[in-house]
Amino acid sequence: MDHMLNRRTFLKTSAASLPLAAAIPTLNPGTISTETIADRAIPGTAPKLIPLPARLAPVEPSTLPWPQNVRRVGQSNMTEHDPAVMNIEEWADYWHSASADIVFISVTGILAFYPSKVPFHRHGKFLNGRDFFGECVAAARKRGMRVVARMSPDLNWGDARDAHPEWAMRDANGSVLLSGEDPRLFRTCMFTSYMDDYVPAIMREINSLYDVDCFYTNGWPPIGSLPSCHCAVCSKLPPSNTAAYWRAFNDRVLELWQKYDAIAKEKKPDSFYFANLGGNVRCGPNLDRLAKTAVWFQADNQGRTSDDPAVWGCSLQGRVCSAVMDGKFAANVSAAYSTGTVRWRNASKNPAEARMWLNETLASGMALYYHFIGSEAGLGEDRRWQKVGSDYFQWAKKHDAHLKPRRSLANVGVVMGQSTQLLYPPPAAAHARDYMRETTHGIYATLLHGRFTFDFVHEDRLDLERISKYRALLLPNIAVLSNRQCQQIRDYVRSGGSIMASFETSLYDENLQRRQEFGLADLLGISKAGDVIGTNGNAYYGRMERTHPILDGFRNTSWLPGAQNRAPIQPVQDPVLTVVPGFVQYPPELAYPPASHTDEPAVVLREAGGSRLAYFPGDIERTFWLTGHDDLLRLLHNTIRWVTQDEALVHIDGDGLLELFVWETTPGYAIHLLNYTNPNAHHGWLSTVYPLAPQTIRMTLPGGVNVKAVDLLRSGKTIPFRLEGSELRFTIPRVDDYEVAALTVS
Ligand SMILES: [Zn+2]
């Protein structure tokens, strides 16, 4: 490869990795000097490789509960019209030929797909007394597929409301809340007898008539937000969006979940109940509590929207599932239909986008789940999605052993802060569409660009046994932390762990009460010096006061960009960066700092034993997401490398924006590379794949482990490798949208 080609490749990949696609035209190779390009690259040498931990003891798959051996889930989501048009044999043949282990079949609760006798379980208008559900169950069973009985308890009709006005959700004026799209349907309240009586009656009717493997409710619990209802029951609860309401909500979700689970088991002890989840870090129910009960995490995370445009939306969800499920089953519902703010539920989406979502599902450790809606004309007027899904499923089936993860290998833990995500009030001046989502994408993008291996860590799972494997914990504005959680973080640091935290981390307790002082003030060496300061035109800067590894690579400037908002803190000894306060951006006559030099810290760094602690008073991760400014990225990378003592479990050398997962598997290890180097990484859907040039991987295996083969599962090639002592090195010659380097060891 000649020099010019190198440079072009670099420019293409670095432009595609910026959050704003609008930045692309400004990158003209002719106007960027070699020196500038060198400055844009991530500085420093390769990290120190830390050996992978000793391998887990083998587990015989037949000893696992059956859901843990499910690898492929199929769903043709049934419409009221399907009993008139769907070809059941064709439906069952399609999913069977695609190697689906289990299929969803609709019972529902809004419309019965069988001759239900449960009052208010209205028969679909094309059912005509037919047992459509039963016929589908029989067709699936005949082909050896398991069956999920799918219900939907979230909506019902006017006759049910007239007989049971207490079932309805109500607004503050007492009016019934209706479906936003079809006002013939009202929204049912989860705190009422609708959930205690009506849903169990349907479950028991199904158990009495059919042989199903488990039960599922769609449409409940809510995804990504908490309900707001003023019915007779709910008006006695604390106000929605308070910590007290969230506890009552979680209690009710668990009560119903366990009740339905017990009903599922009345017929078969290995049956179970599960419900709709998703919303990644902003899930409705508390995931620490729920995951102790759930055996199936249904991640309803079907595709990107213009509100949440990052290409890694599915693998982000997978990391959330890994954080709470402890190896139990999780599946990501991937829409084959066109998802998004503008959507077409009966039209196929771009194949490249659909495949990337499936890639991310596998890479992040979840099981494949492919979903289309409606079977007009037998099995869809648009059938283009079918080959995309069956080809993918059949490929994956050949590699089940390598694709099924046992544990994630990562040395950075990112605290996900579910209560902060749901309840935290962002700074009033932030002009955020979704403040904490922007924060999450900021740290996520940072870690991907730096090719770090990381896991999410739930705030209620900070016990030392879980988190001691991480060299560092990152707390990107984890504002809500209880005293106990703060103590767990102190214990982690005392045991040698490192921290990078930002902005209002630990400023609120678990009841959302604002503390007088940061909960982690002692640990981080900081002290609050006033209320949050936002940006009026031109954001603040950090002045470089002295050399430090976190400032490596910054030349020819004494100022660095700060962040949009900051929580001012008291001066510290020997600061590395100090705040140059913000000012107006217009008129330019006034665009200069009121004070060029202050003693307010823009970062606080501490070292204690083997631990390193870094605190940024600014919302730096989120500001990186909003701006794409390389200086913020470099500062964050340098800081993560500093707090981790520049240790890594795997090092991948090569160009491009990719997401990396390293899993221990039963045969060995699987290194997953997702290629996001694409103009549609942050907007719209992928339509074309831009392959990556060679990527060289280095990792240190545990003592006594030998490599028998390195197979590339997507390209179907076996590649050479070098094992010197315990250090393994191999090169993947090309990555299209996705590659899995599967190591077989002995
Ligand atoms: Zn209610």
Side-chain angles (χ1 to χ4, degrees):
M1 207 187 290
D2 66 30
H3 177 74
M4 198 57 208
L5 189 56
N6 264 323
R7 184 198 279 193
R8 282 182 189 283
T9 308
F10 179 78
L11 288 167
K12 190 162 80 172
T13 58
S14 89
S17 65
L18 289 170
L20 297 173
I24 290 172
T26 66
L27 284 166
N28 175 353
T31 61
I32 296 177
S33 73
T34 321
E35 187 185 3
T36 310
I37 293 168
D39 276 346
R40 294 174 65 87
I42 296 161
T45 51
K48 286 174 287 208
L49 285 176
I50 301 302
L52 303 183
R55 288 179 60 74
L56 298 168
V59 169
E60 170 54 40
S62 63
T63 64
L64 296 170
W66 69 260
Q68 291 190 38
N69 289 317
V70 170
R71 297 299 299 154
R72 285 162 299 278
V73 184
Q75 185 182 8
S76 297
N77 208 332
M78 289 153 187
T79 73
E80 183 177 32
H81 198 221
D82 279 349
V85 292
M86 188 176 112
N87 181 330
I88 292 178
E89 290 299 303
E90 197 179 356
W91 163 82
D93 281 341
Y94 171 73
W95 289 114
H96 178 59
S97 72
S99 308
D101 299 311
I102 191 165
V103 288
F104 277 64
I105 303 177
S106 285
V107 170
T108 160
I110 300 173
L111 286 172
F113 285 83
Y114 64 104
S116 176
K117 296 189 175 68
V118 174
F120 309 109
H121 199 193
R122 178 183 294 212
H123 295 189
K125 67 183 172 199
F126 302 100
L127 193 63
N128 295 323
R130 181 178 164 197
D131 186 4
F132 184 73
F133 177 79
E135 290 173 41
C136 290
V137 171
R141 285 262 174 262
K142 197 170 86 185
R143 291 161 178 82
M145 295 187 287
R146 289 184 180 267
V147 168
V148 181
R150 175 188 180 274
M151 300 178 293
S152 216
D154 53 327
L155 298 167
N156 211 316
W157 304 88
D159 55 333
R161 184 189 61 222
D162 293 343
H164 288 283
E166 75 280 10
W167 284 354
M169 288 183 80
R170 289 175 187 273
D171 66 17
N173 301 320
S175 302
V176 171
L177 294 179
L178 304 175
S179 156
E181 295 187 56
D182 191 332
R184 293 176 302 165
L185 291 158
F186 72 98
R187 295 171 60 192
T188 58
C189 177
M190 62 175 264
F191 286 94
T192 68
S193 58
Y194 187 79
M195 301 296 272
D196 292 299
D197 300 340
Y198 179 76
V199 175
I202 295 175
M203 291 182 72
R204 290 200 166 99
E205 186 174 55
I206 293 297
N207 260 344
S208 74
L209 296 171
Y210 309 100
D211 178 23
V212 300
D213 292 286
C214 52
F215 287 86
Y216 160 75
T217 52
N218 182 60
W220 180 84
I223 292 172
S225 61
L226 299 175
S228 176
C229 175
H230 296 81
C231 77
V233 183
C234 291
S235 25
K236 298 192 181 76
L237 298 174
S240 186
N241 293 318
T242 61
Y245 179 83
W246 195 39
R247 279 191 282 274
F249 169 83
N250 284 315
D251 290 345
R252 178 66 172 164
V253 169
L254 272 168
E255 178 196 353
L256 290 174
W257 194 297
Q258 286 162 354
K259 177 176 184 159
Y260 298 164
D261 195 62
I263 295 170
K265 289 175 167 55
E266 284 171 1
K267 180 152 186 187
K268 290 199 285 195
D270 68 347
S271 182
F272 58 91
Y273 162 81
F274 64 106
N276 211 34
L277 296 171
N280 57 65
V281 292
R282 202 193 153 98
C283 191
N286 179 300
L287 288 177
D288 167 60
R289 290 183 64 186
L290 194 57
K292 290 174 177 134
T293 295
V295 300
W296 178 310
F297 194 119
Q298 173 92 347
D300 185 357
N301 175 54
Q302 304 200 34
R304 292 196 274 165
T305 64
S306 48
D307 287 337
D308 195 0
V311 67
W312 50 76
C314 178
S315 48
L316 168 60
Q317 176 69 61
R319 292 182 192 273
V320 172
C321 294
S322 294
V324 296
M325 287 302 276
D326 290 328
K328 290 187 289 184
F329 182 83
N332 190 83
V333 188
S334 292
Y337 67 85
S338 303
T339 46
T341 314
V342 179
R343 64 178 63 187
W344 295 274
R345 294 202 100 171
N346 314 102
S348 306
K349 73 160 54 142
N350 293 7
E353 179 78 10
R355 273 192 290 271
M356 183 55 88
W357 221 244
L358 297 170
N359 297 336
E360 291 179 37
T361 301
L362 285 178
S364 64
M366 297 185 286
L368 295 171
Y369 182 137
Y370 199 52
H371 175 214
F372 198 76
I373 295 189
S375 295
E376 295 294 312
L379 199 59
E381 298 273 7
D382 180 347
R383 300 186 174 207
R384 291 170 294 177
W385 58 277
Q386 290 166 11
K387 188 168 172 0
V388 174
S390 58
D391 284 356
Y392 200 96
F393 273 28
Q394 283 160 5
W395 164 76
K397 188 184 185 196
K398 287 191 289 187
H399 304 294
D400 272 344
H402 284 299
L403 293 173
K404 187 174 177 188
R406 292 206 60 200
R407 70 169 159 180
S408 163
L409 299 170
N411 69 334
V412 173
V414 181
V415 178
M416 55 184 260
Q418 196 188 345
S419 48
T420 303
Q421 294 283 346
L422 274 171
L423 302 169
Y424 163 76
H431 308 297
R433 290 172 78 178
D434 190 331
Y435 190 90
M436 285 310 296
R437 179 190 287 160
E438 291 161 358
T439 304
T440 303
H441 284 320
I443 190 67
Y444 209 93
T446 298
L447 290 161
L448 263 51
H449 282 284
R451 300 186 168 192
F452 296 97
T453 54
F454 64 101
D455 293 333
F456 279 153
V457 178
H458 194 278
E459 75 230 61
D460 293 330
R461 295 187 174 208
L462 293 172
D463 35 303
L464 196 54
E465 310 84 81
R466 278 184 187 275
I467 61 176
S468 57
K469 69 174 186 170
Y470 302 113
R471 192 69 193 82
L473 274 190
L474 311 187
L475 294 112
N477 191 33
I478 305 304
V480 181
L481 287 171
S482 68
N483 287 345
R484 177 170 176 268
Q485 289 160 346
C486 289
Q487 187 54 45
Q488 289 175 315
I489 292 167
R490 278 187 208 98
D491 293 344
Y492 167 72
V493 170
R494 196 164 297 132
S495 78
S498 293
I499 297 286
M500 182 178 87
S502 67
F503 196 44
E504 298 206 271
T505 293
S506 76
L507 207 49
Y508 292 80
D509 70 14
E510 70 276 27
N511 294 312
L512 228 61
Q513 295 302 306
R514 211 174 152 82
R515 294 186 170 105
Q516 292 298 310
E517 182 57 277
F518 292 95
L520 294 174
D522 55 334
L523 187 72
L524 298 170
I526 58 175
S527 183
K528 196 164 169 281
D531 294 332
V532 166
I533 299 172
T535 289
N536 175 30
N538 192 102
Y540 76 92
Y541 299 89
R543 175 182 288 283
M544 294 190 278
E545 299 281 0
R546 61 182 171 92
T547 57
H548 190 279
I550 74 159
L551 301 180
D552 279 356
F554 293 115
R555 288 190 292 274
N556 208 21
T557 177
S558 46
W559 287 0
L560 299 178
Q564 189 187 32
N565 302 282
R566 73 182 192 278
I569 53 170
Q570 301 288 352
V572 296
Q573 283 274 310
D574 205 14
V576 170
L577 275 176
T578 52
V579 168
V580 179
F583 38 86
V584 301
Q585 62 86 27
Y586 188 86
E589 289 86 338
L590 300 181
Y592 65 96
S596 178
H597 201 183
T598 73
D599 57 4
E600 182 190 334
V603 69
V604 177
L605 305 171
R606 298 185 83 195
E607 291 186 62
S611 304
R612 290 176 172 179
L613 308 166
Y615 168 76
F616 290 99
D619 50 358
I620 180 171
E621 302 92 346
R622 174 177 164 275
T623 305
F624 168 62
W625 178 247
L626 296 184
T627 62
H629 203 300
D630 274 0
D631 288 351
L632 299 179
L633 184 63
R634 170 173 296 188
L635 186 59
L636 286 164
H637 282 170
N638 285 347
T639 307
I640 296 168
R641 293 182 74 162
W642 182 72
V643 296
T644 57
Q645 312 244 16
D646 213 6
E647 294 176 2
L649 290 169
V650 58
H651 179 63
I652 303 195
D653 195 27
D655 284 336
L657 174 63
L658 56 79
E659 181 160 16
L660 161 69
F661 288 90
V662 182
W663 295 100
E664 183 172 333
T665 62
T666 298
Y669 300 95
I671 296 111
H672 296 246
L673 306 182
L674 293 154
N675 175 13
Y676 297 150
T677 312
N678 198 296
N680 295 111
H682 298 292
H683 178 74
W685 295 325
L686 309 185
S687 58
T688 312
V689 170
Y690 299 80
L692 292 182
Q695 306 286 321
T696 296
I697 298 183
R698 289 192 306 124
M699 54 204 285
T700 303
L701 300 175
V705 171
N706 277 306
V707 177
K708 283 160 63 179
V710 178
D711 295 301
L712 301 182
L713 303 185
R714 280 307 267 171
S715 54
K717 294 189 179 109
T718 298
I719 54 168
F721 61 89
R722 237 174 51 205
L723 191 58
E724 285 174 5
S726 293
E727 191 184 311
L728 175 71
R729 179 196 292 255
F730 59 90
T731 297
I732 301 176
R734 167 190 165 113
V735 180
D736 287 290
D737 58 336
Y738 177 40
E739 190 54 274
V740 186
L743 278 58
T744 305
V745 303
S746 59

